[in-house]
């Protein structure tokens, strides 16, 4: 409240002012002039502005204007600007504001405006503007930082509560206003190097102050000790597995760019940028081309740093090998040197190759790369199935089978007789067997008698062959055989066979053949006709040649191999039984063969041929054959194949009238 009071003084020359004396008029003019020239003279003695001497900002302040005398229309001013009457300052701030008051006061001349002296209120700071402090002052990238908004309250106002807020640029950090003067940042990065500031305020009264902006400097540590690690360890992989490349750095802050490379390639295998000290790259399903040396690089703006080279070894299972046969000719022969090649198109070295013949190991060879070879000289036993296998640390693979047929030239054959022995009887069927102990089939066998070909037989599957021959007297001599399988003919040694039996000569052999042919053609009817014809001419044309041997059946010696002497064997109802003998008229170049053809019945089957001929007259046929040699012994000694052919073509049948028949 302002105090106003007025002092009681006599009125200023009321009479003089109403009725001035002439001698006083100059003095009045003088006083009026003073009033005009000094209208605002100090009235501090009449008006006084009262305020607290010392206050804190934000305190309420009541201003009082005290007057000495009667006053009205009191006004308050701040910096010459009128403020509300009876004004109360609820919150003051530290500044240079000047305050005063004014009022109309009754004076000598009436009501007059009076001003108080100017007053500056001394306001104390409630708390100083905060100061932002970072700990550490220059943090390392990736490390935590604590920001503190530092200020304090005077002891007289220690009960006032402060709260704080932190800012990066113009963005509030954390949860906003908080009673704690500190804010902890877990990690700071190079991009967090910005200006920071804070604010502090009181709730009651509301006083807010802010700090100055502070620049935060973040240190970035360059990457160092870059290392490349490979999974599986030591870089040993199997084709088809996954390869994991791990690139790491021992030191380095901030955002790091990792890249992976294979030596010899321009483009990187992969790239990653992240805030970490390591990164991974996976290569799926590695193949043979992925083998090599790898390295990685790390960069955090200071330039890339490379790791050491790490070798990746790819273990590849061997592929199925291929077996090839290298032979000097199309058909391998005994004695040829054959080379077997076994090769796998893929597979990690070393590769062990094994060679097999009919599942029996021939040999093995270990090679770092390429193919393996095995040489050997062919023998007869080397025909058959061949294969090979390839093995490395990851397994074994087998090749397909390859057939090698060793063509073996035939060996010298051996000729044998069946029945065995060096003697045989005329009429026997002799089996000539020729066999070469060695030789690739098919084998063609030839059979020879005195170097004349008897015939040939083929053995398509190997082994020997046989040739059957019905023996005649002239077959005594040397027999042999030959064998051929396309690689050359081989001959056996000569084997001598002796023919035993009735006297044999060239004429006898030819006659037997001719007689057999005539009997088969003419038959029984022709034989009967000839017998009848010979009987009618016997008496009239009996020969008178002296020295002619008798053709009587009594003189005929029947061969034991041609008569049926077994009474147990039932004969045919009618069977012709031919018997024959040779006669030679002296001093003649003709040879006659005398053939007796008899008939056997059930009644006389037990009788001998001689007895039968005594009881019944036989049928006689003569065949005359031109004699090749006058002497039988000389003819037999020089008989040849051509002679046999000529003799076989020169014969005819003639009747013979025997003297014995008359009897």
């Amino acid at each position: 409240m302002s105090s106003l009071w007025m002092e009681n003084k006599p009125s200023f020359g009321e009479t003089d002012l109403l009725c001035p004396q002439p001698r006083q008029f100059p003095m009045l003019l003088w006083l009026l002039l003073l009033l005009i020239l000094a209208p605002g003279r100090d009235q501090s003695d009449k008006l006084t502005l009262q305020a607290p001497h010392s206050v804190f900002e934000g305190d309420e302040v009541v201003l009082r204007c005290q007057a000495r005398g009667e006053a009205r229309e009191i006004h308050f001013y701040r910096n010459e600007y009128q403020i509300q009457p009876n004004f109360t300052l609820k919150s003051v701030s530290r500044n240079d504001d000047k305050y005063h008051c004014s009022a109309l006061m009754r004076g000598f001349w009436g009501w007059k405006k009076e001003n108080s002296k100017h007053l500056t209120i001394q306001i104390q700071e409630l708390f100083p503007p905060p100061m932002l402090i970072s700990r550490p002052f220059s943090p390392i990238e990736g490390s935590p930082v604590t920001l503190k908004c530092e200020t304090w309250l005077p002891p007289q106002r220690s009960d006032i509560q402060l709260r704080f807020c932190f800012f990066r640029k113009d963005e509030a950090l954390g949860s906003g206003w908080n009673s704690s003067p500190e804010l902890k940042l877990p990690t700071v990065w190079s991009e967090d190097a910005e200006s920071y500031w804070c604010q502090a305020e009181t709730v009651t009264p509301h006083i807010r102050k802010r700090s100055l902006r502070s620049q935060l400097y973040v240190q970035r540590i360059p990457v160092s000790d870059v290392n490349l690690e490979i999974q599986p360890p030591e870089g040993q992989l199997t084709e088809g597995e996954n390869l994991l490349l791990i690139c790491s750095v021992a030191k380095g802050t901030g955002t790091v760019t990792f890249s992976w490379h294979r030596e010899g390639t321009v483009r990187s295998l992969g790239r990653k940028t992240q805030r970490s000290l390591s990164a991974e790259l996976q290569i799926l399903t590695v193949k043979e081309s992925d083998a090599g040396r790898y390295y990685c690089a790390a960069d955090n703006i200071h330039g890339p740093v490379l790791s050491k080279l790490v070798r990746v070894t790819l273990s590849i299972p061997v592929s199925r090998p291929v077996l090839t046969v290298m032979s000097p000719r199309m058909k391998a022969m005994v004695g040829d040197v054959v080379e077997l090649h076994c090769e796998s198109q893929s597979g990690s070295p070393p590769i062990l190759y094994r060679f097999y013949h009919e599942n029996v190991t021939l040999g093995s060879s270990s090679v770092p790369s390429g193919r393996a070879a095995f040489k050997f000289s062919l023998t007869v036993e080397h025909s058959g199935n061949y294969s090979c296998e390839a093995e490395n640390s990851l397994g074994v693979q087998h090749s397909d089978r390859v057939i090698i047929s060793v063509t073996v030239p035939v060996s010298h054959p051996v000729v044998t007789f069946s029945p065995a022995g060096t003697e045989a009887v005329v009429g026997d069927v002799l089996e000539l067997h020729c066999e070469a102990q060695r030789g690739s089939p098919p084998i063609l066998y030839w059979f020879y008698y005195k170097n004349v070909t008897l015939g040939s037989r083929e053995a398509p599957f190997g082994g020997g062959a046989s040739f059957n021959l019905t023996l005649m007297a002239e077959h005594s001599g040397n027999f042999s055989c030959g064998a051929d399988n396309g690689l050359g003919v081989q001959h056996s040694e000569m084997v001598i066979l002796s023919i035993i039996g009735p006297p044999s000569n060239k004429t006898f052999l030819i006659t037997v053949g001719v007689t057999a042919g005539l009997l088969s053609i003419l038959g029984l009817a022709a034989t009967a006709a000839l017998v009848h014809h010979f009987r009618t001419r016997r008496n009239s044309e009996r020969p008178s040649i002296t020295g002619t041997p008798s053709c009587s059946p009594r003189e005929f010696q029947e061969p034991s191999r041609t008569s049926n002497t077994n009474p147990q064997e039932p004969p045919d109802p009618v069977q012709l039984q031919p018997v024959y003998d040779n006669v030679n008229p002296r001093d003649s170049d003709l040879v006659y063969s005398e053939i007796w053809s008899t008939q056997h019945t059930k009644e006389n089957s037990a009788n001998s041929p001689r007895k039968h001929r005594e009881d019944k007259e036989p049928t006689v046929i003569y065949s005359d054959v031109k004699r090749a040699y006058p002497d039988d012994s000389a003819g037999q000694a020089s008989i040849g194949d051509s002679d046999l052919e000529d003799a076989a073509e020169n014969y005819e049948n003639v009747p013979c009238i025997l003297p014995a028949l008359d009897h």
Side-chain angles (χ1 to χ4, degrees), residues 614-630:
E614 293 176 355
D615 298 337
K616 189 175 181 180
E617 191 176 48
T619 301
V620 180
I621 297 175
Y622 283 87
S623 293
D624 96 48
V625 182
K626 292 183 180 180
R627 229 179 123 186
Y629 301 97

mmCIF file of all heavy atoms in Angstrom, residues 614-630:
data_model
loop_
_atom_site.group_PDB
_atom_site.id
_atom_site.type_symbol
_atom_site.label_atom_id
_atom_site.label_comp_id
_atom_site.label_asym_id
_atom_site.label_seq_id
_atom_site.Cartn_x
_atom_site.Cartn_y
_atom_site.Cartn_z
ATOM 1 N N GLU A 614 27.205 -177.226 -101.192
ATOM 2 C CA GLU A 614 27.160 -178.609 -101.675
ATOM 3 C C GLU A 614 25.744 -179.055 -101.953
ATOM 4 O O GLU A 614 25.497 -179.846 -102.836
ATOM 5 C CB GLU A 614 27.808 -179.543 -100.651
ATOM 6 C CG GLU A 614 29.304 -179.293 -100.512
ATOM 7 C CD GLU A 614 29.917 -180.160 -99.432
ATOM 8 O OE1 GLU A 614 29.119 -180.862 -98.771
ATOM 9 O OE2 GLU A 614 31.153 -180.133 -99.240
ATOM 10 N N ASP A 615 24.799 -178.532 -101.190
ATOM 11 C CA ASP A 615 23.411 -178.949 -101.367
ATOM 12 C C ASP A 615 22.707 -178.181 -102.459
ATOM 13 O O ASP A 615 21.789 -178.666 -103.088
ATOM 14 C CB ASP A 615 22.648 -178.786 -100.058
ATOM 15 C CG ASP A 615 23.243 -179.665 -98.972
ATOM 16 O OD1 ASP A 615 23.908 -180.658 -99.325
ATOM 17 O OD2 ASP A 615 23.065 -179.311 -97.778
ATOM 18 N N LYS A 616 23.091 -176.963 -102.643
ATOM 19 C CA LYS A 616 22.365 -176.117 -103.587
ATOM 20 C C LYS A 616 23.349 -175.358 -104.423
ATOM 21 O O LYS A 616 24.374 -174.913 -103.926
ATOM 22 C CB LYS A 616 21.462 -175.149 -102.819
ATOM 23 C CG LYS A 616 20.533 -174.393 -103.740
ATOM 24 C CD LYS A 616 19.591 -173.536 -102.918
ATOM 25 C CE LYS A 616 18.640 -172.796 -103.824
ATOM 26 N NZ LYS A 616 17.715 -171.963 -103.068
ATOM 27 N N GLU A 617 22.997 -175.231 -105.666
ATOM 28 C CA GLU A 617 23.899 -174.572 -106.604
ATOM 29 C C GLU A 617 23.857 -173.078 -106.381
ATOM 30 O O GLU A 617 22.789 -172.481 -106.339
ATOM 31 C CB GLU A 617 23.448 -174.922 -108.013
ATOM 32 C CG GLU A 617 24.444 -174.525 -109.064
ATOM 33 C CD GLU A 617 23.980 -174.993 -110.425
ATOM 34 O OE1 GLU A 617 22.809 -174.754 -110.744
ATOM 35 O OE2 GLU A 617 24.787 -175.585 -111.129
ATOM 36 N N PRO A 618 25.027 -172.428 -106.255
ATOM 37 C CA PRO A 618 25.046 -170.975 -106.028
ATOM 38 C C PRO A 618 24.978 -170.212 -107.330
ATOM 39 O O PRO A 618 25.095 -170.777 -108.400
ATOM 40 C CB PRO A 618 26.386 -170.762 -105.323
ATOM 41 C CG PRO A 618 27.270 -171.820 -105.909
ATOM 42 C CD PRO A 618 26.378 -173.020 -106.183
ATOM 43 N N THR A 619 24.803 -168.948 -107.172
ATOM 44 C CA THR A 619 24.829 -168.029 -108.307
ATOM 45 C C THR A 619 26.221 -167.454 -108.422
ATOM 46 O O THR A 619 26.777 -166.977 -107.433
ATOM 47 C CB THR A 619 23.816 -166.890 -108.112
ATOM 48 O OG1 THR A 619 22.526 -167.458 -107.980
ATOM 49 C CG2 THR A 619 23.834 -165.937 -109.291
ATOM 50 N N VAL A 620 26.803 -167.468 -109.649
ATOM 51 C CA VAL A 620 28.186 -167.028 -109.855
ATOM 52 C C VAL A 620 28.180 -165.843 -110.797
ATOM 53 O O VAL A 620 27.509 -165.869 -111.825
ATOM 54 C CB VAL A 620 29.047 -168.153 -110.423
ATOM 55 C CG1 VAL A 620 30.486 -167.684 -110.629
ATOM 56 C CG2 VAL A 620 29.010 -169.363 -109.503
ATOM 57 N N ILE A 621 28.897 -164.826 -110.436
ATOM 58 C CA ILE A 621 29.058 -163.628 -111.281
ATOM 59 C C ILE A 621 30.534 -163.353 -111.397
ATOM 60 O O ILE A 621 31.262 -163.357 -110.392
ATOM 61 C CB ILE A 621 28.343 -162.413 -110.671
ATOM 62 C CG1 ILE A 621 26.830 -162.669 -110.603
ATOM 63 C CG2 ILE A 621 28.612 -161.162 -111.513
ATOM 64 C CD1 ILE A 621 26.079 -161.586 -109.911
ATOM 65 N N TYR A 622 31.011 -163.090 -112.618
ATOM 66 C CA TYR A 622 32.403 -162.728 -112.846
ATOM 67 C C TYR A 622 32.463 -161.282 -113.282
ATOM 68 O O TYR A 622 31.681 -160.846 -114.105
ATOM 69 C CB TYR A 622 33.033 -163.619 -113.939
ATOM 70 C CG TYR A 622 33.400 -164.986 -113.453
ATOM 71 C CD1 TYR A 622 32.448 -166.013 -113.486
ATOM 72 C CD2 TYR A 622 34.672 -165.247 -112.962
ATOM 73 C CE1 TYR A 622 32.798 -167.280 -113.035
ATOM 74 C CE2 TYR A 622 35.015 -166.501 -112.513
ATOM 75 C CZ TYR A 622 34.074 -167.519 -112.551
ATOM 76 O OH TYR A 622 34.420 -168.754 -112.112
ATOM 77 N N SER A 623 33.424 -160.601 -112.722
ATOM 78 C CA SER A 623 33.722 -159.236 -113.176
ATOM 79 C C SER A 623 35.147 -159.231 -113.641
ATOM 80 O O SER A 623 36.046 -159.639 -112.913
ATOM 81 C CB SER A 623 33.555 -158.241 -112.019
ATOM 82 O OG SER A 623 32.209 -158.157 -111.641
ATOM 83 N N ASP A 624 35.329 -158.807 -114.888
ATOM 84 C CA ASP A 624 36.701 -158.765 -115.343
ATOM 85 C C ASP A 624 37.182 -157.334 -115.248
ATOM 86 O O ASP A 624 36.487 -156.403 -115.642
ATOM 87 C CB ASP A 624 36.819 -159.395 -116.732
ATOM 88 C CG ASP A 624 36.787 -158.430 -117.846
ATOM 89 O OD1 ASP A 624 37.508 -157.429 -117.771
ATOM 90 O OD2 ASP A 624 36.066 -158.665 -118.779
ATOM 91 N N VAL A 625 38.386 -157.183 -114.688
ATOM 92 C CA VAL A 625 38.993 -155.871 -114.447
ATOM 93 C C VAL A 625 40.320 -155.865 -115.160
ATOM 94 O O VAL A 625 41.079 -156.830 -115.081
ATOM 95 C CB VAL A 625 39.191 -155.618 -112.932
ATOM 96 C CG1 VAL A 625 39.778 -154.247 -112.702
ATOM 97 C CG2 VAL A 625 37.878 -155.773 -112.198
ATOM 98 N N LYS A 626 40.578 -154.789 -115.880
ATOM 99 C CA LYS A 626 41.867 -154.697 -116.563
ATOM 100 C C LYS A 626 42.969 -154.613 -115.557
ATOM 101 O O LYS A 626 42.886 -153.898 -114.581
ATOM 102 C CB LYS A 626 41.886 -153.460 -117.451
ATOM 103 C CG LYS A 626 40.933 -153.571 -118.629
ATOM 104 C CD LYS A 626 41.054 -152.343 -119.509
ATOM 105 C CE LYS A 626 40.094 -152.473 -120.693
ATOM 106 N NZ LYS A 626 40.182 -151.310 -121.580
ATOM 107 N N ARG A 627 43.997 -155.368 -115.836
ATOM 108 C CA ARG A 627 45.120 -155.434 -114.926
ATOM 109 C C ARG A 627 46.016 -154.266 -115.144
ATOM 110 O O ARG A 627 46.395 -153.966 -116.274
ATOM 111 C CB ARG A 627 45.909 -156.700 -115.196
ATOM 112 C CG ARG A 627 46.194 -157.479 -113.943
ATOM 113 C CD ARG A 627 46.953 -158.718 -114.232
ATOM 114 N NE ARG A 627 48.165 -158.685 -113.461
ATOM 115 C CZ ARG A 627 49.128 -159.539 -113.525
ATOM 116 N NH1 ARG A 627 49.078 -160.531 -114.379
ATOM 117 N NH2 ARG A 627 50.172 -159.450 -112.766
ATOM 118 N N ALA A 628 46.414 -153.644 -114.108
ATOM 119 C CA ALA A 628 47.318 -152.508 -114.249
ATOM 120 C C ALA A 628 48.747 -152.965 -114.319
ATOM 121 O O ALA A 628 49.563 -152.368 -115.020
ATOM 122 C CB ALA A 628 47.126 -151.558 -113.065
ATOM 123 N N TYR A 629 49.072 -154.035 -113.567
ATOM 124 C CA TYR A 629 50.450 -154.518 -113.541
ATOM 125 C C TYR A 629 50.414 -156.024 -113.718
ATOM 126 O O TYR A 629 49.582 -156.699 -113.095
ATOM 127 C CB TYR A 629 51.123 -154.165 -112.204
ATOM 128 C CG TYR A 629 51.151 -152.690 -111.956
ATOM 129 C CD1 TYR A 629 50.172 -152.098 -111.162
ATOM 130 C CD2 TYR A 629 52.161 -151.899 -112.521
ATOM 131 C CE1 TYR A 629 50.190 -150.743 -110.935
ATOM 132 C CE2 TYR A 629 52.167 -150.550 -112.283
ATOM 133 C CZ TYR A 629 51.201 -149.975 -111.502
ATOM 134 O OH TYR A 629 51.221 -148.613 -111.257
ATOM 135 N N PRO A 630 51.379 -156.568 -114.489
ATOM 136 C CA PRO A 630 51.376 -158.023 -114.661
ATOM 137 C C PRO A 630 51.680 -158.737 -113.391
ATOM 138 O O PRO A 630 51.222 -159.837 -113.168
ATOM 139 C CB PRO A 630 52.456 -158.270 -115.714
ATOM 140 C CG PRO A 630 53.098 -156.960 -115.984
ATOM 141 C CD PRO A 630 52.373 -155.900 -115.296
#
